[in-house]
Amino acid sequence: MRQGFRDMLFSLGMLGVAGLLWWETSRPKYQADKLQDSGFDPAFFPRIMLGLWVIIGVALLVRSFKSWTVPAEAQNWPKLIGSLVLVAFYAAAINYLGFLFASIPFMALFVALLGFRKPVVLLVVAVLFPLITWYTFVHLLSISLPVSPWFTRM
């Protein structure tokens, strides 16, 4: 398979999923509710992320035409399957452990799976990224995230 063809298929899949998710956020049940006192409806942040998703999908589509004749690299199946399994465990753990306590080990394992081996980088990314994300959502945007049953006051 050629790199350009593979990238084109993936980007079209991304754009198709983005269209379906955007359509889902336009349903009336999401438009009626405003989150607490922030004035944003529940679709506000997902639409920002979908906008970024579409930009990446279009950039990948444009790149696919530039690399149409380049042979694709061999797929690293263990890394792909490991990533999917790790994401599945994270999705299950977030309901039981809460966002923060599930995200820290997930980030450490995911960054290690992607090949970063420096302990300082692993520690900084694994701890700071979930903490900053949690603080931004909970305290700055007033958007609740799943909370650990052991620490409900966070």
Side-chain angles (χ1 to χ4, degrees):
M1 180 181 297
R2 298 286 181 193
Q3 180 179 340
F5 183 68
R6 182 195 64 198
D7 289 351
M8 183 188 68
L9 288 178
F10 187 76
S11 65
L12 291 175
M14 280 180 68
L15 294 172
V17 168
L20 289 173
L21 291 173
W22 191 278
W23 174 73
E24 176 65 25
T25 64
S26 67
R27 294 176 60 185
K29 70 179 182 179
Y30 298 117
Q31 303 304 317
D33 296 335
K34 298 289 181 191
L35 288 176
Q36 298 169 359
D37 295 329
S38 65
F40 299 115
D41 62 13
F44 176 72
F45 185 73
R47 284 189 173 170
I48 291 173
M49 297 309 295
L50 284 172
L52 294 173
W53 181 316
V54 167
I55 290 169
I56 292 169
V58 169
L60 186 59
L61 184 63
V62 169
R63 188 183 85 167
S64 73
F65 294 117
K66 292 180 180 178
S67 62
W68 193 257
T69 59
V70 177
E73 300 172 4
Q75 181 63 43
N76 188 342
W77 291 105
K79 190 180 282 190
L80 176 64
I81 292 169
S83 298
L84 293 174
V85 168
L86 192 57
V87 169
F89 276 116
Y90 175 67
I94 200 167
N95 291 321
Y96 297 106
L97 301 175
F99 174 80
L100 199 54
F101 294 118
S103 297
I104 291 172
F106 169 75
M107 286 300 294
L109 292 171
F110 199 73
V111 169
L113 181 69
L114 292 179
F116 294 99
R117 301 281 186 242
K118 295 181 181 178
V120 174
V121 173
L122 270 167
L123 186 63
V124 168
V125 169
V127 174
L128 284 183
F129 184 76
L131 278 173
I132 292 169
T133 303
W134 170 79
Y135 183 82
T136 301
F137 273 85
V138 173
H139 294 289
L140 300 179
L141 299 174
S142 299
I143 297 173
S144 62
L145 293 173
V147 179
S148 169
W150 303 295
F151 300 101
T152 56
R153 293 185 189 177
M154 291 179 87

